[in-house]
């Protein structure tokens, strides 16, 4: 009977008995989280707020251990950070718990970039700046940039059966490790040629999807790259496998500059495409039963009981009642982005059925928050 999240937050803050009496996720899932622009700032303040009340319920946690680290993933309530030496730290931002992963070695570095071998070593070509390319030794590349995204298979990385899979910087190869078990990352070829894995989606158990929503523009033309391809990666047992779903090599018709967000909801792969920030009338939702005999994309024009959460960094789908118990609207897309022109965060609530869009303002200091923005699913509270 608590009327608001603020009351629920105060209730849980009293003591462990009161905290145990109130289900945390009923009031606080999912939440928005912001990190500062500069990872080397003196105060690494992580700000959490609830979008359904305009950011009125807000609290901040200082995380000095994140100084010098770059965010590379958010899944199952944990954040994945990488430092310049290639060491990966998993952080539960609400409890402060951390888990260390095995660092990236030279094999992972070599697999992350297309490089050229010369008598004096291996070299990488960086993107052109003002018309000129820059050559850099492979060993001089920052290891914090090896990983594009890191995704977990469970919310208990300390259990011994959690797998972390990573999309590498510019590669059709993915890397994975069993948290707390493996002493090195294992490389897995996705069998999709001339393309780069741009995102990874955990699809239950030992299965992950490696998604190719782009190309190695530095080396391969868009006409050659297999844009929109999906490879099923199964890391169970001693011999992991990767299977390219050729019938899904073409994503739904869209222009090449449309942004794509993928997520796993109720055993299906969902895809949200959008023309760009502010173009809410050019937003489309698709879904596919990825493990059917002949998988294909289907347009979603009505989704009762479904709420999708998008941000500039990481996404989340929910169809298990979060909308009905936590104030979110069903059949909707919650999209948050930082508007550099207005210098503020903006939340757009898009109705999947009719395409209408509602803009919701944020209160107080949330208006001025910047940096990395992502949704997080709270699992525990301390």
């Amino acid at each position: 009977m608590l009327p608001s999240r603020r009351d629920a937050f105060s209730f849980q803050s009293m003591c462990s008995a009161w905290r145990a009496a109130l289900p945390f996720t009923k009031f606080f899932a999912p939440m928005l989280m912001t990190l500062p622009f500069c990872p080397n700032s003196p105060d690494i303040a992580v700000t959490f707020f609830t979008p359904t009340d305009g950011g009125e319920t807000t609290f901040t946690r200082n995380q000095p251990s994140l100084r010098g680290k770059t965010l590379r993933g958010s899944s199952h309530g944990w954040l994945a950070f990488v430092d310049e030496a290639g060491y990966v730290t998993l952080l539960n931002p609400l409890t402060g718990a951390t888990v260390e992963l095995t660092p990236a070695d030279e094999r992972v570095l070599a697999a992350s970039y297309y490089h050229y071998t010369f008598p004096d070593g291996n070299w990488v070509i960086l993107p052109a700046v003002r018309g000129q390319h820059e050559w850099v030794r492979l060993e001089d590349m920052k290891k914090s940039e090896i990983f594009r995204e890191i995704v977990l298979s469970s919310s208990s990385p300390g259990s011994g059966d959690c797998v972390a899979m990573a999309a590498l910087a510019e590669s059709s190869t993915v890397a994975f490790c069993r948290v707390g078990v493996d002493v090195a990352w294992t490389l897995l070829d996705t069998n999709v040629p001339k393309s780069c894995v741009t995102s990874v989606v955990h699809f239950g158990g030992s299965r992950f999807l490696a998604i190719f929503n782009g190309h190695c523009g530095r080396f391969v033309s868009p006409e050659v790259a297999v844009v929109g391809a999906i490879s099923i990666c199964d890391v169970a047992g001693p011999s992991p496998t990767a299977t390219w779903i050729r019938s899904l090599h073409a994503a739904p018709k869209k222009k090449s500059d449309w942004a794509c967000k993928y997520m796993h909801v109720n055993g299906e792969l969902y895809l949200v495409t959008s023309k760009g920030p502010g173009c809410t009338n050019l937003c489309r939702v698709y879904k596919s039963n990825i493990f059917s005999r002949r998988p294909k994309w289907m347009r979603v024009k009505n989704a009762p009981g479904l709420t999708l959460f998008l941000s500039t960094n990481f996404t989340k789908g929910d169809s298990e009642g979060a909308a009905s118990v936590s104030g979110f609207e069903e059949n909707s897309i919650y999209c948050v982005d930082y508007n550099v022109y207005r210098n503020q965060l903006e939340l757009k609530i898009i109705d999947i059925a009719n395409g209408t869009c509602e803009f919701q303002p944020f209160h107080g200091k949330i208006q001025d928050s910047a940096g990395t923005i992502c949704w997080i699913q709270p699992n525990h509270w301390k």
Side-chain angles (χ1 to χ4, degrees):
M1 298 179 65
L2 295 171
S4 70
R5 283 190 176 91
R6 180 176 295 277
D7 291 335
F9 179 73
S10 299
F11 187 98
Q12 284 210 325
S13 300
M14 290 299 296
C15 63
S16 59
W18 284 35
R19 185 160 54 247
L22 182 66
F24 183 77
T25 55
K26 178 176 180 179
F27 287 90
F28 290 98
M31 307 177 72
L32 276 170
M33 183 198 72
T34 63
L35 290 169
F37 266 124
C38 180
N40 293 312
S41 60
D43 296 320
I44 305 296
V46 181
T47 302
F48 303 90
F49 57 97
T50 57
T52 52
D53 60 7
E56 181 180 352
T57 305
T58 305
F59 56 97
T60 301
R61 289 289 175 87
N62 193 35
Q63 300 286 357
S65 62
L66 302 184
R67 189 172 297 116
K69 299 179 180 179
T70 305
L71 181 65
R72 285 292 182 257
S74 173
S75 61
H76 295 287
W78 291 79
L79 306 177
F81 290 88
V82 184
D83 64 15
E84 292 191 358
Y87 285 85
V88 181
T89 300
L90 302 179
L91 168 72
N92 185 319
L94 292 172
T95 67
T98 59
V99 176
E100 300 295 330
L101 301 188
T102 181
D105 55 23
E106 299 304 317
R107 298 178 306 106
V108 181
L109 175 62
S112 299
Y113 297 96
Y114 187 92
H115 57 274
Y116 298 88
T117 301
F118 296 102
D120 61 343
N122 297 318
W123 292 80
V124 174
I125 306 178
L126 296 182
V129 177
R130 296 179 181 177
Q132 294 192 3
H133 291 278
E134 180 183 358
W135 289 78
V136 177
R137 287 182 181 273
L138 179 63
E139 57 267 27
D140 293 335
M141 296 293 292
K142 292 182 180 179
K143 288 189 176 181
S144 61
E145 299 178 358
I146 288 178
F147 300 107
R148 183 188 291 263
E149 181 181 13
I150 300 175
V151 174
L152 302 179
S153 65
S154 79
S155 60
S156 303
S159 62
D161 59 358
C162 177
V163 177
M165 178 167 284
L168 303 181
E170 293 180 348
S171 177
S172 61
T173 297
V174 294
F176 71 91
C177 70
R178 294 170 179 83
V179 182
V181 177
D182 294 342
V183 296
W185 290 85
T186 299
L187 299 175
L188 177 62
D189 187 352
T190 59
N191 296 315
V192 180
K194 307 293 184 180
S195 298
C196 296
V197 179
T198 55
S199 60
V200 173
V201 175
H202 178 238
F203 223 79
S206 60
R207 294 183 299 191
F208 295 81
L209 300 182
I211 299 173
F212 301 75
N213 194 49
H215 58 85
C216 298
R218 200 183 308 172
F219 321 109
V220 183
S221 66
E223 292 77 15
V224 177
V226 188
V227 179
I230 296 175
S231 181
I232 301 175
C233 303
D234 194 331
V235 298
S239 301
T241 61
T243 305
W244 175 17
I245 309 176
R246 294 178 180 269
S247 62
L248 278 180
H249 73 280
K253 291 183 179 180
K254 63 179 182 64
K255 294 183 178 180
S256 59
D257 59 345
W258 280 38
C260 292
K261 299 289 186 179
Y262 297 83
M263 62 199 78
H264 173 212
V265 183
N266 267 4
E268 293 182 301
L269 181 65
Y270 273 71
L271 163 63
V272 180
T273 65
S274 59
K275 175 65 176 175
C279 299
T280 56
N281 61 324
L282 294 177
C283 183
R284 302 288 185 267
V285 180
Y286 301 87
K287 68 177 181 179
S288 175
N289 185 349
I290 208 76
F291 294 104
S292 64
R293 186 174 181 179
R294 295 182 62 85
K296 62 180 181 179
W297 291 110
M298 297 178 59
R299 175 78 181 275
V300 178
K301 296 184 178 180
N302 193 29
L306 181 70
T307 307
L308 304 178
F309 303 92
L310 307 183
S311 71
T312 53
N313 300 98
F314 307 105
T315 61
K316 184 186 183 305
D318 202 312
S319 60
E320 300 176 354
S324 61
V325 300
S326 55
F328 291 100
E329 297 179 15
E330 298 181 359
N331 207 2
S332 300
I333 301 172
Y334 282 75
C335 179
V336 64
D337 196 4
Y338 188 78
N339 190 320
V340 295
Y341 302 104
R342 297 180 180 178
N343 193 31
Q344 65 181 28
L345 283 181
E346 289 185 345
L347 177 66
K348 292 170 287 192
I349 306 174
I350 305 170
D351 190 301
I352 296 175
N354 57 37
T356 58
C357 179
E358 172 190 346
F359 285 84
Q360 179 174 301
F362 290 112
H363 302 298
K365 62 181 180 181
I366 299 302
Q367 282 276 44
D368 302 321
S369 295
T372 300
I373 311 165
C374 67
W375 295 90
I376 187 167
Q377 173 71 53
N379 291 309
H380 305 89
W381 178 258
K382 183 178 180 181

